[in-house]
Amino acid sequence: MIEAVSDFFSRHNFVRHVAIETTVDALLHDMQNGLHGKASDQDMIRTFINPPEKSPCGKSVIVIDAGGTNFRSCLVTFDEAGMPSIDLLQKTSMPGVGTQLSRTEFFDAIAKNIEHLKDKADAIGFCFSYAMKITEDGDGTLIMFSKEVNAPEVIGSKIGACLQEALARHGWKKNVRITLLNDTVAALLAGAAAPAAGKKYSSYIGLILGTGLNAAYIQSKIDSAAARANPSGFEKQIIVCESGKFSHIALSDFDKAADGKTLNQKTYLIEKQSSGAYLGAVAHEVLVAAANEKLLSEQCAHRIAALQSLSLIEFDSFLHAPFLAHSTIGTIAAECATARDYDILFELLDSVAERSARHAAAVLAACVIQSGAGTSASKPVCIVCNGSTYYKTHGIARRVQGYLEEVLTAERGLYWETISVEHDITLGAAIGGLARL
């Protein structure tokens, strides 16, 4: 069975066991190019912000979290001791997913989504989880949408300024200050804001592996000719990598087929091999090809080949419990699969998850190395991980930590710790929204 699966993957150029060290080196080279203004896949976006020395006190801020699938909004209030509370939380769908919107329609939809927060605070922390060029005043110009958001007129727009105009159209009385930040920055800030008692960290990283893939880290000041020519651009600050855009990776036939059905073809290639918005589509291509090439028994192959689509939840359900008929694949297997079919189906789907874990580990390792931190065992780099794909998809979190132990600690003597923070994106966006007041 293993030989048959390996031969199948080889014929389609699918690399399950991605060479993490090689990917890390390629990511680091690309990051250096981006930091110094050279051509790079990753945008290496400067944010002009660092973690605050302490949590805000006695202030309220409106928080917007525009993610890949959901749109969340709430009011966060920090009491006099700096302890936060979250009120008026609402969740809706992300504007532009499933329906193309004009620029005006897009920002009007956002204004409508936060109507319940009208004039509740003087500041908005806007976590906008797409590639932006952050300006020194805290606004952000959209570079590109991902995660299948369809609002092309918004590209090139200043998100904060356009939202200000929309809020005025919707009758907001206060001229609120809007600060744009990425979800990776929000995760990083949440980790830095409240380290556990007795803990000290040498630096912080924010990882998102959910609908998309991205990371942010703290870049130390760069002392070079380029830095001296543009010192403000190279001061110590949080850098958003836009890791999902990295493209120097092997593309299988399955990746190419799935990519051909997306809005932004031939872009965000590592994200499309790693994140929740795309893993189901790639797995679907894998299974249908295996069925058509008679890797499965006749009846099982016929049922699998007839599948029109496959979600991440569906294929992950099979990996977690292959012998329960609680998923599409599990139901098919229960009704007609042989013992060999079960093994092949599991091996095929687990290979998609395995590759995702290796990519995520490579992205994190590159960020730790680039930060220059983590050299002290008592003060590791704090990695705040966020995203359902990371935490829920079969084996990914466990594998990522195992690969980091090998690549960073065993090979390079660098120390790190992964943590989760409750309401991390909300609290980080609130801290970011108040940081510039």
Side-chain angles (χ1 to χ4, degrees), residues 103 107 132-133 135-142 154-165 180:
R103 181 168 59 185
F107 287 104
M132 298 178 290
K133 180 180 179 180
T135 55
E136 291 194 54
D137 63 357
D139 207 339
T141 301
L142 179 63
V154 179
I155 296 172
S157 302
K158 294 188 74 171
I159 303 301
C162 289
L163 180 56
Q164 286 275 19
E165 295 172 358
L180 272 293

Side-chain angles (χ1 to χ4, degrees), residues 102-118:
S102 67
R103 181 168 59 185
T104 299
E105 290 170 336
F106 181 81
F107 287 104
D108 279 345
I110 293 177
K112 182 178 179 181
N113 283 347
I114 63 172
E115 181 71 20
H116 64 295
L117 299 170
K118 182 183 289 186

Side-chain angles (χ1 to χ4, degrees), residues 33-264:
N33 283 343
L35 286 170
H36 290 90
K38 300 178 183 178
S40 64
D41 289 345
Q42 299 168 95
D43 294 317
M44 304 306 290
I45 299 167
R46 296 165 178 79
T47 64
F48 308 100
I49 192 172
N50 281 298
E53 295 295 327
K54 60 180 181 179
S55 183
C57 298
K59 295 180 179 179
S60 293
V61 57
I62 294 167
V63 169
I64 304 172
D65 177 13
T69 305
N70 297 313
F71 181 101
R72 298 178 178 88
S73 56
C74 64
L75 183 72
V76 176
T77 300
F78 294 89
D79 65 18
E80 295 303 326
M83 296 299 295
S85 61
I86 299 172
D87 299 296
L88 303 175
L89 176 65
Q90 286 192 11
K91 183 174 75 171
T92 60
S93 59
M94 178 64 194
V97 175
T99 303
Q100 181 171 318
L101 299 178
S102 67
R103 181 168 59 185
T104 299
E105 290 170 336
F106 181 81
F107 287 104
D108 279 345
I110 293 177
K112 182 178 179 181
N113 283 347
I114 63 172
E115 181 71 20
H116 64 295
L117 299 170
K118 182 183 289 186
D119 298 325
K120 297 291 185 183
D122 296 320
I124 294 177
F126 192 171
C127 180
F128 194 70
S129 305
Y130 305 91
M132 298 178 290
K133 180 180 179 180
I134 298 296
T135 55
E136 291 194 54
D137 63 357
D139 207 339
T141 301
L142 179 63
I143 297 170
M144 181 183 292
F145 272 124
S146 57
K147 309 166 198 172
E148 304 304 288
V149 174
N150 192 359
E153 288 184 9
V154 179
I155 296 172
S157 302
K158 294 188 74 171
I159 303 301
C162 289
L163 180 56
Q164 286 275 19
E165 295 172 358
L167 296 181
R169 289 196 297 271
H170 284 252
W172 284 54
K173 297 176 182 178
K174 290 186 178 181
N175 186 24
V176 293
R177 181 181 179 88
I178 301 174
T179 298
L180 272 293
L181 64 160
N182 187 276
D183 50 1
T184 56
V185 177
L188 186 157
L189 289 174
K199 286 279 191 180
K200 286 188 177 181
Y201 295 109
S202 53
S203 193
Y204 297 88
I205 289 170
L207 171 77
I208 304 295
L209 182 57
T211 306
L213 167 67
N214 199 6
Y217 72 101
I218 302 174
Q219 172 67 50
S220 298
K221 181 177 180 178
I222 301 173
D223 186 16
S224 65
R228 287 189 290 273
N230 182 21
S232 67
F234 288 87
E235 293 295 325
K236 178 183 176 182
Q237 62 189 279
I238 300 171
I239 300 290
V240 177
C241 300
E242 288 303 327
S243 311
K245 297 177 75 174
F246 186 68
S247 64
H248 297 172
I249 53 176
L251 291 178
S252 70
D253 294 338
F254 317 123
D255 300 313
K256 293 175 183 177
D259 179 60
K261 299 171 185 176
T262 62
L263 289 176
N264 299 315

